[in-house]
Amino acid sequence: DTGVSQDPRHKITKRGQNVTFRCDPISEHNRLYWYRQTLGQGPEFLTYFQNEAQLEKSRLLSDRFSAERPKGSFSTLEIQRTEQGDSAMYLCASSLSSGTSTDTQYFGPGTRLTVL
Amino acid sequence: DAKTTQPPSMDCAEGRAANLPCNHSTISGNEYVYWYRQIHSQGPQYIIHGLKNNETNEMASLIITEDRKSSTLILPHATLRDTAVYYCIVRVHDNYGQNFVFGPGTRLSVLP
């Protein structure tokens, strides 16, 4: 399967702990997006990379959140000092930006975070 | 805020066509219409997108009105596995990339 993969699929943590999620995009996709989805809502944008550069961050991305894409391939999203309000599904998507592509985003299965 | 409005829910009989409407009355000339669906506890799945011409692929057809203010996603022969939340999104293509702004979508229930 050459789709977007995310690890772990589920994470349960206690309030105040740090957590890190990983996303592996579709090979050769140069854009990578992180979204968050809470129950009953559509996904909400968090941040976006083109290659290794983080080009946009949402106001939702508080200073407890940090994302990296060090070599322009996989990405990590870290949440420090987790709060119960951080409980959500964290989704990763990737796309290929080129002169002829339509930059369609393909999503991974998500990581479901539960903060106790 | 999402630039689209969709009915919150719809039912469809198995084997019949499911027609999911979407209003995007403020769409700009360079914005595409995208459709995704999300089956419970999975990531959104790309279905189809278009600019102004009708589009068809192996999953669905997309009908965009001539004024581009609304569109309809058609699943020609709905099956129980098509039960999902369907999202209609408008998005511009440019060199800088843009995130999708998702609304609440339409919850489609395909009934046996």
Side-chain angles (χ1 to χ4, degrees):
Chain A
D1 185 13
T2 58
V4 178
S5 61
Q6 294 187 244
D7 183 70
R9 295 292 308 278
H10 303 274
K11 178 70 177 179
I12 299 174
T13 191
K14 293 182 179 179
R15 189 177 56 185
Q17 298 295 305
N18 299 342
V19 293
T20 300
F21 310 140
R22 176 179 170 125
C23 171
D24 287 89
I26 294 171
S27 179
E28 298 182 354
H29 275 194
N30 55 352
R31 289 182 175 167
L32 188 147
Y33 301 77
W34 285 99
Y35 292 80
R36 182 177 72 183
Q37 185 174 26
T38 54
L39 203 60
Q41 304 296 317
E44 297 173 291
F45 169 74
L46 291 178
T47 190
Y48 141 65
F49 291 85
Q50 176 144 330
N51 300 312
E52 65 275 12
Q54 189 173 16
L55 296 188
E56 188 176 352
K57 291 192 283 188
S58 160
R59 290 171 299 173
L60 293 175
L61 209 68
S62 76
D63 56 5
R64 296 185 297 106
F65 287 68
S66 63
E68 294 183 342
R69 194 183 184 200
K71 297 182 180 179
S73 57
F74 73 92
S75 176
T76 58
L77 177 67
E78 181 183 17
I79 308 174
Q80 295 182 327
R81 306 181 303 281
T82 52
E83 302 173 355
Q84 288 184 326
D86 297 331
S87 295
M89 174 82 87
Y90 290 84
L91 293 159
C92 176
S94 71
S95 69
L96 175 63
S97 166
S98 71
T100 56
S101 79
T102 55
D103 200 27
T104 298
Q105 294 180 25
Y106 295 91
F107 285 80
T111 294
R112 181 167 297 281
L113 172 66
T114 302
V115 182
L116 302 176
Chain B
D1 291 343
K3 297 179 67 174
T4 62
T5 56
Q6 300 176 253
S9 64
M10 292 181 62
D11 291 340
C12 176
E14 187 179 18
R16 304 297 294 268
N19 297 291
L20 292 92
C22 179
N23 287 323
H24 31 80
S25 58
T26 61
I27 192 170
S28 302
N30 60 348
E31 286 183 312
Y32 284 69
V33 180
Y34 280 82
W35 283 84
Y36 282 77
R37 73 180 182 184
Q38 190 170 26
I39 297 169
H40 182 62
S41 295
Q42 298 182 18
Q45 178 189 22
Y46 167 75
I47 301 173
I48 199 167
H49 73 279
L51 182 62
K52 51 186 174 182
N53 297 322
N54 297 338
E55 302 287 345
T56 295
N57 63 20
E58 65 279 4
M59 290 183 69
S61 294
L62 174 61
I63 309 298
I64 303 174
T65 57
E66 191 169 346
D67 63 7
R68 301 187 71 237
K69 293 186 177 182
S70 65
S71 60
T72 301
L73 179 75
I74 301 172
L75 307 178
H77 305 288
T79 71
L80 299 178
R81 288 179 293 181
D82 292 322
T83 292
V85 178
Y86 286 77
Y87 297 101
C88 169
I89 305 158
V90 296
R91 176 175 175 267
V92 68
H93 287 166
D94 57 32
N95 291 326
Y96 304 102
Q98 269 202 13
N99 54 287
F100 286 117
V101 179
F102 288 81
T106 295
R107 182 172 297 279
L108 175 69
S109 297
V110 180
L111 307 175

